[in-house]
Amino acid sequence: MTSPSNFDLHSPVHLVPSIGMQRAHLFERLGIRRAIDLLFHFPRTYQESSECQSILELKEGLLATVVGTIVDMDSRFSLEGRSSVGALLAVDGGGYVRCVWYNQPFRRENHSIGQRLLARGVIRSSGVAYQMRHPEVTVLEPGESPPPPRPRPVYPLTEGLSQRQVSWAIESILPLALDIEEALPSDLRSKAALLMKLDADLLPTIQDALLWIHQPKDMPEAQVARARFIFQELFVLQLALAMYRYACRHAAPAPSIPTNALIHSRILKRFPFDLTDDQKQVIETIRLDMASTIPMNRLLQGDVGTGKTAVAQYALLSAVANQYQAALMAPTELLARQHATKLKQQLADSRVMIELLVGSIPQAQKREILQRIAIGTVDIVVGTQALLSEHVEFAKLGVIVIDEQHRFGVEQRATLRTARTVPHYLVMTATPIPRTLALTLFGDLDVSTLKQRPPGQSVVKTYVVQPSQHQRWWNFVIKQIQTGRQAYVVVPRVDANDETETQGAVQWFETLRTGPLKELRVELLHGKMESESKQTILDQFANGEIDILVATTVIEVGIDVPNTSVMTIIDADRLGLAQLHQLRGRVGRGSYPGFVGLFPTQSKTIDPANKPNSNTTTASDSDPQSEEIQRLESFAKIHDGFELSQIDLRKRGPGDILGTKQTGLPEFIIADLARDEDVVMIAKEMAAELVEYDPTLTRPEHAKLLRQVVAKHGKSIAIGDVG
Ligand code: ADP
Ligand code: MG
């Protein structure tokens, strides 16, 4: 056996005596590699162990607590020199339990006949009486009633490891918690406690918090310990973001792009409508941002249809009016084309030079465009993100606008800033992101929101369509087409999936065009098709040469065909609400009312991978399918994207809202963005204040904090590495 002196907190976990070589790999599966990781393997929850058991409730193997009086003591030595001390306990209410300790001769001195004990241990039935080996005991004063039960930690486990094994391992190294250095100076801990309205003057020290989270004497103690770690986790992240933000703002200046009254009114005249109040307000903010030499870093979020494009155009045109170039990036070639076409139409009678830069443009032509961008004769470049973030050299870039940003990590955004010039920067997204998530992902950005919708848009009527109603629904779709409209049918996957017994877009396309919709012009579109044929289909659809487009969720992003009025979403319950909402935004964009029919999945099997929160929600015994239908029913009633994404965040976790695994969202050990909204706000506020005072965290009292920020987030957030 390893003696405790040859290991410390940084020793590999197999050196922890109660773990050893054989079990080490199981702990590694839980992310526990070094001893210190055990200390930060926090309980999932606590069990408030029941009151004392009576003799009748005891049985072999039960972890039990009894109270009684010692009526007999014995001690023995075996031939091998092993000692044992026994104490026979007359349990209150009747019956006996024998406590026994091996190789702990001091027990003989600690206990005596007549003493009252509270004993806790695993019950063994030794034939005649119950026994507890090495119970935890508390000596009670005569007349003293037993203390209230302590909460027992319940740890996350992995197959092959028991609750006891994990508890033991943690218990055995808990004394080492005293060696851990405090990262949060006491003034920060007291401020946080105050803002978090805790029933304490300070957040506990790291040492106390570790002891309390693993072995709380009562639930309030566990809660205050958890509060400390939740705060710390969120605070360290917000510090990283605040430092990054500070560095971006102070590294290199951006060009000052003032928009005087004349330019302002000339730009506004280009819009075929009056701006909404929200649009006006955001434009005013951007005007101030761009006039400053501190680079603008702004996120504009607005539900589909709230008119973000006009705001983008304002930013582009104010740069051009000041003799700067502007870039507009879209996530797909399709959207880039759409933007370029619209801009060209709108600016047809001006001298503004607009170029489209996408992958499918022939090499020679691309080279020529790049040259003109480099010498500055192109004013506005519209392209895909992939292309524009590569090696485009601008003569004088003033602003970059990114439309429909779907990947939000700071990392992804950082790559765009490596250009030599520091332009102003506007990111737009239609994915409604709950506030806590936005603060986490965009803590380094300023956020503006368009809430109001331009006049004339009506809500899209949404229905859940049961199998028995399918024929009626398709008849309705056909009627819409007959009045001159067009329609989408969205299928979450391209191909059939045997496991979930669901059909893909390919199969639905066949079924529909040979079945219910055979009189109509139906075409198929999905992400695996050649870029050229995709374009052809989309052009035909936009020109009204196709009635019905059967597509995967590729159409989710920004497609704008105002003549479409109906969308059918197959297996709709497989998608998150935010994504459904995004899709819904594709219809009813013109002057026609929009309709969406949601077809719930018909197969019995529900893909468990689609339920990322399954380990935190308790298994419910209600029918998962009817739960899914309820979710769709509530979606049909709610038309506010933010409300929907809030529900998504609670029910399905952040991955669903952001649509991908590469969300750029850090992993949290203990914080929960849906639950800890208040703490996120507090952490952000305190981080901003601290960075204002010590921008690089170089003051000695922040050294440990800086180390944590760098260790946790240094890779994804280039702290101190900007410009
Ligand atoms: P999104 O925010 O989804 O990008 P768009 O910018 O595409 O929204 O705008 C949606 C529709 O609303 C477009 O047809 C656009 O021309 C129109 N629109 C935008 N702003 C206004 C406004 N202030 N008044 C009337 N129509 C507007
Ligand atoms: Mg848009």
Side-chain angles (χ1 to χ4, degrees), residues 169-180:
I170 291 172
E171 231 173 283
S172 74
I173 67 143
L174 207 48
L176 293 182
L178 296 176
D179 297 343
I180 294 197

Side-chain angles (χ1 to χ4, degrees), residues 611-646:
K611 305 201 127 199
N613 265 353
S614 56
N615 59 343
T616 52
T617 51
T618 43
S620 98
D621 44 19
S622 60
D623 177 9
Q625 265 184 303
S626 73
E627 220 172 273
E628 289 302 320
I629 298 205
Q630 268 173 23
R631 199 168 65 93
L632 293 181
E633 292 285 3
S634 58
F635 171 77
K637 287 187 211 107
I638 300 171
H639 290 270
D640 176 16
F642 283 92
E643 199 180 332
L644 290 169
S645 71
Q646 202 59 264

